[in-house]
Amino acid sequence: MSHHHDDNKRRFWITGASSGIGHALAERLAGQGDHVAVSARSEEALNALAAASGKVTAHPLDVTNREKVHQVIDAIEAEGPIEVAVLNAGAWFLMDAVELDVDKVRQAVEVNYMGVMYALEKLIPLMKERGEGHLVLMASVAGFRGLPRSLAYGPTKAALINLTESLKPELEKFGIHVTVINPGFVDTPATQDNPFPMPDIITADEAAKHIAKGIDKQKVEIIFPWRFAVAMKLLRILPYRPFYWLMRRIMSQ
Ligand SMILES: NC(=O)c1ccc[n+]([C@@H]2O[C@H](COP(=O)([O-])OP(=O)(O)OC[C@H]3O[C@@H](n4cnc5c(N)ncnc54)[C@H](OP(=O)(O)O)[C@@H]3O)[C@@H](O)[C@H]2O)c1
């Protein structure tokens, strides 16, 4: 059943909406008449989104700034409740184990994981008070297993998947839905320079279409594209011996 009706527009907050998937999702939702508050560091990109649609309001922030995250949530809530929060801001780093860069690892943890936490600590009490709300966490199929050169990024996404599993049964009692998004490869500024093949890669707009539909259905998990998703689901349950055999093969390609 769809929870979206033409006469019942919703109020969204999307972080990481200045480019890529978040940007495409903001455009899509505003295009169908929903109100969308957009956040990221790049103020200009957010202002351009707002200038293009009367449904969009720009709220620049750095998600690693806890106080600022709370201030932005207050500012959006002053205009009306955040019904759906899409916590999508994320940073992708390739890193070799033999070139471990702890500062970059900390940055990935602070943006991808703590950035979500700062939003949650403010949003959960608000949504609990209202007895409704929808929290949407952007993880990745890269969080299913540890992957070569993904040591700074993969664990933050694994943590978000685990976090969703932890939150969902607790929060549904208060009418709060929790959804995790696990995309495969999406063509965005983040993946543009990847030095490896990206099977089944889709556009940011296609990703946004999957996400909008999944949010509408209040799905527990939004995962796409289907073929790569199935492969990653299988990889997730593969025993260690065949898993490492496969990883060695992938690395020697
Ligand atoms: N592309 C893929 O293949 C893929 C696959 C699975 C999951 N994902 C996830 O999807 C999400 C969006 O990624 P994308 O591919 O669309 O990449 P992207 O175009 O680089 O978008 C990342 C967004 O996050 C924002 N951001 C980064 N650091 C931030 C910070 N400290 N504070 C606030 N905003 C910040 C960026 O805006 P500013 O730089 O303006 O702050 C940008 O709007 C990420 O969480 C990513 O991990 C992507």
Side-chain angles (χ1 to χ4, degrees):
M1 190 182 79
S2 172
H3 295 261
H4 179 252
H5 311 285
D6 280 349
D7 56 339
N8 184 16
K9 302 304 183 192
R10 296 158 300 174
R11 292 178 52 86
F12 283 82
W13 177 41
I14 305 175
T15 66
S18 65
S19 69
I21 301 169
H23 187 271
L25 183 63
E27 282 189 321
R28 172 165 288 273
L29 294 171
Q32 66 188 32
D34 291 314
H35 182 268
V36 192
V38 290
S39 292
R41 289 165 305 175
S42 314
E43 210 167 330
E44 263 182 51
L46 301 180
N47 289 338
L49 264 176
S53 167
K55 295 288 179 186
V56 177
T57 54
H59 298 270
L61 59 65
D62 185 325
V63 295
T64 66
N65 184 337
R66 187 177 176 183
E67 288 308 309
K68 185 70 190 171
V69 170
H70 296 176
Q71 282 169 19
V72 160
I73 292 171
D74 280 335
I76 300 166
E77 288 263 336
E79 304 292 317
I82 296 170
E83 293 169 299
V84 187
V86 185
L87 308 174
N88 160 80
W92 153 247
F93 305 101
L94 256 186
M95 192 180 293
D96 294 326
V98 292
E99 283 168 27
L100 186 64
D101 180 341
V102 174
D103 292 320
K104 274 199 157 179
V105 171
R106 184 185 291 111
Q107 200 184 332
V109 171
E110 283 183 356
V111 176
N112 298 1
Y113 190 73
M114 292 311 294
V116 169
M117 276 294 164
Y118 300 149
L120 290 179
E121 73 173 321
K122 185 86 186 169
L123 288 168
I124 290 172
L126 287 168
M127 290 180 171
K128 177 180 175 240
E129 183 77 22
R130 292 195 279 266
E132 63 184 8
H134 192 171
L135 299 167
V136 183
L137 277 56
M138 175 56 88
S140 168
V141 293
F144 285 0
R145 290 306 286 261
L147 302 171
R149 310 185 73 196
S150 187
L151 73 131
Y153 178 81
T156 66
K157 297 302 186 178
L160 290 170
I161 293 167
N162 189 294
L163 175 64
T164 303
E165 292 169 356
S166 178
L167 293 177
K168 191 182 159 54
E170 280 194 63
L171 294 182
E172 63 192 6
K173 291 187 297 192
F174 301 106
I176 305 171
H177 299 279
V178 187
T179 294
V180 66
I181 310 174
N182 291 317
F185 291 114
V186 184
D187 187 6
T188 70
T191 51
Q192 221 132 62
D193 299 325
N194 278 347
F196 48 79
M198 294 187 276
D200 297 349
I201 190 163
I202 62 170
T203 65
D205 197 51
E206 285 173 296
K209 201 187 284 183
H210 285 293
I211 293 167
K213 200 169 140 198
I215 289 174
D216 226 32
K217 291 182 173 168
Q218 296 179 334
K219 284 187 144 193
V220 178
E221 182 189 26
I222 301 171
I223 181 166
F224 56 84
W226 73 269
R227 215 170 54 161
F228 196 65
V230 169
M232 293 304 286
K233 288 267 179 184
L234 292 174
L235 187 71
R236 191 179 198 181
I237 57 168
L238 207 59
Y240 274 128
R241 268 172 185 278
F243 171 72
Y244 284 128
W245 174 84
L246 201 62
M247 290 304 110
R248 269 180 222 115
R249 279 195 47 145
I250 285 170
M251 283 189 359
S252 63
Q253 263 178 9

